[in-house]
Amino acid sequence: MTAGATLRILAGVIAGLGLGVVAGPESGFIPAAQLIGGVWLDALRMTVVPLVFGLIVTGITGTLRQDGAAVTRRALISFIALLVLSALVGLAVGGVMFADWQLAGPLAPPDQTVPALPATAETVRALIPANPIAAAAQGAIVPVVIFALFFAFALARIDAARARALSEGLAGVVDTMLVIVGWVLLLAPVGVFALAFAVAARTGIALGTALGWYVLVQIIATLLLALIVYLLVAVSRRVPMPAFVRAAAPAQMVAFTTQSSLASLPAMLAAARTLGLARAQADTLLPMAVALFRIAAPASIVIVALALAHLGGVTLGWLQLVIIAALAVVNTLTIAGLPNQITFFAAYAPAALAAGIPIELLPLMLAVDAIPDMAYTVSNVTADLGITALLSGREQPDGDAPTGPR
C-alpha cells in the first residue's frame, strides 16, 4: 500500500471521528454508516479463511524446503523462541497498560451481544476439527489453522511433484485473495469513515482517545523488544556492544524512513561486514530473517486482540490468551514477507476471532497502524541484525574457516 493510500485511510478515520462527534448519538445517519461499514468489513472478512489456510501451508512448505544446514536449523529455532518471547511481551505490556483503561463503556454497537466464551474442556475439544470444511464455513479460525499445520507437514512427506503442484495451487489461491483484498482496500477510506462515524457518534471523543492510547501501547512494546535484542547482544559478547550500535544505526535509519525490512537488507549486509561476521553465514541468515522473522509482529497481534477485547467488553480467560499468543506466532512465521497493510486482516483477525472478540473496530487500527509501523520496522531490523550477530561466526582475515557456532 502506498503512502498516499495510507494517508487517505487515515484521513477517512479522522473525518469519520470528527463528523461522528459533531453528529452525536441521535444522528439518523448512524444506521447507514453501520451498513456501509459492515458491508465493507464483511468483504474483507470473506478472504480471511482461504488466505490464512493458503499462507500457512505455503509458508511452512517453503520453510521446510530451506537448506538443512546447522545454521539454518539454529536460525529457525531462534526465530521461534524470540517470536514466542515477543508474544509474551505483548501480553505483559498490554495486560499492564490496558488494565486501568477507563472508557465510557464498551465501544461495540449497543445491539451487538458479545458471545459467551465456551468452557475450557469444550474449547480444547473443538481445537481438532472433525469436519475442516464445516469449521472453515463457520469461520472457526483455530481448527482451520491446526488443520493447515497438519496439512502442510504432511504435504512435505508425499511425492515431491504432487506436493509442488498442490503448493503452487495454494499459492495461486493466496495471490487471488490478495488481489481481492487490494480491491476492497481501494474502498478503505469509505469503509473506515463509516465505521469511525458510527462509533464516534455513539461515544463522542472516547474512540479517538482509545486509538491514541492503543498506538502508544504498540510503540512501547515494540521499543521494549528492540531493547531486549540489545541486551541479548550485550550478554552474549559475540560482538562489542558499541560496535553493534554503530553498525546497526544506518540500517535502522533506512527502516524508519522506508518502513521496509527488505529495503533495509543492503544496509544490514553492510553492517554484518562492518562487524566482521562470517560472510557466508550472514548472507544466509539475514535474508532468512527478513523473510521469516518479524520480532514486533506477535506482540503487535496480541496487543490488537487485547485492545479489541477491552473495547468490545470481552473478558479473556487464560486459554483464550494462550490461543491468541500461539496464533500470533504462527501467523508471523507464515505471513511474513508480505506488506503489512495487505495482510493485516489475515495476520490480526484470526487471533481475535479465535478468542471470541468482535473485530468491527479492527479496520480503525489498520488506519492508525502507519504510526507505530515505523517503530515495528526499526525493531525488526534490529532483531534481524542481532540474531545474525548471535548465530554467525567471525570472518577470518587469512581466509580460514570462520570461528563461532557450527
Side-chain angles (χ1 to χ4, degrees):
M1 186 181 294
T2 65
T6 300
L7 289 176
R8 286 192 294 272
I9 295 175
L10 185 58
V13 169
I14 294 173
L17 291 175
L19 292 177
V21 170
V22 171
E26 303 302 323
S27 172
F29 292 105
I30 292 178
Q34 289 176 334
L35 175 62
I36 294 171
V39 169
W40 179 78
L41 180 61
D42 287 343
L44 275 175
R45 199 179 343 221
M46 73 180 178
T47 66
V48 169
V49 170
L51 190 55
V52 167
F53 182 85
L55 285 168
I56 288 176
V57 174
T58 56
I60 289 178
T61 53
T63 301
L64 293 176
R65 285 196 296 267
Q66 294 279 350
D67 178 16
V71 67
T72 303
R73 292 196 298 271
R74 285 199 307 274
L76 291 174
I77 293 171
S78 300
F79 293 167
I80 294 171
L82 288 173
L83 291 176
V84 170
L85 176 62
S86 172
L88 295 177
V89 167
L91 287 173
V93 173
V96 171
M97 296 194 70
F98 291 141
D100 296 322
W101 207 11
Q102 297 298 322
L103 299 172
L107 296 182
D111 57 347
Q112 175 181 313
T113 58
V114 176
L117 298 177
T120 300
E122 182 182 343
T123 301
V124 173
R125 176 74 182 273
L127 294 179
I128 303 300
N131 186 338
I133 305 301
Q138 296 167 4
I141 293 296
V142 176
V144 170
V145 170
I146 291 176
F147 178 68
L149 292 171
F150 276 107
F151 191 94
F153 285 107
L155 188 62
R157 301 184 67 88
I158 69 172
D159 177 74
R162 293 181 177 179
R164 188 160 41 251
L166 275 172
S167 294
E168 290 175 354
L170 285 172
V173 171
V174 169
D175 291 343
T176 303
M177 291 300 105
L178 291 177
V179 170
I180 295 174
V181 171
W183 290 343
V184 177
L185 288 180
L186 291 176
L187 297 175
V190 176
V192 298
F193 170 85
L195 292 170
F197 177 89
V199 178
R202 296 194 312 270
T203 63
I205 63 172
L207 178 59
T209 303
L211 289 176
W213 185 252
Y214 156 78
V215 168
L216 178 62
V217 174
Q218 286 281 27
I219 292 174
I220 289 175
T222 303
L223 295 180
L224 178 59
L225 289 170
L227 177 61
I228 290 173
V229 172
Y230 280 120
L231 291 175
L232 290 175
V233 172
V235 169
S236 73
R237 298 184 179 180
R238 295 193 54 78
V239 296
M241 187 62 185
F244 179 81
V245 173
R246 288 193 301 270
Q252 291 169 334
M253 288 303 300
V254 175
F256 185 82
T257 54
T258 65
Q259 299 172 45
S260 169
S261 296
L262 185 59
S264 308
L265 181 57
M268 285 190 279
L269 290 170
R273 307 286 188 268
T274 301
L275 292 170
L277 303 181
R279 183 163 186 163
Q281 294 177 351
D283 287 357
T284 299
L285 287 168
L286 278 172
M288 276 187 65
V290 169
L292 297 173
F293 180 50
R294 294 183 300 172
I295 195 171
S300 177
I301 294 171
V302 168
I303 287 171
V304 165
L306 295 179
L308 289 173
H310 276 270
L311 296 176
V314 177
T315 301
L316 300 174
W318 69 267
L319 183 58
Q320 282 72 38
L321 295 175
V322 169
I323 289 174
I324 288 170
L327 285 179
V329 173
V330 171
N331 284 352
T332 299
L333 283 170
T334 56
I335 298 177
L338 294 172
N340 188 49
Q341 289 89 349
I342 293 293
T343 58
F344 189 87
F345 282 83
Y348 287 74
L353 291 171
I357 302 170
I359 63 168
E360 279 64 26
L361 298 180
L362 186 57
L364 305 187
M365 295 178 175
L366 166 62
V368 299
D369 191 64
I371 301 172
D373 191 41
M374 293 179 286
Y376 300 159
T377 314
V378 171
S379 291
N380 289 339
V381 165
T382 304
D384 291 346
L385 192 56
I387 200 69
T388 302
L390 293 175
L391 296 179
S392 295
R394 304 284 291 178
E395 194 73 55
Q396 296 300 297
D398 59 1
D400 292 339
T403 61
R406 293 284 189 270

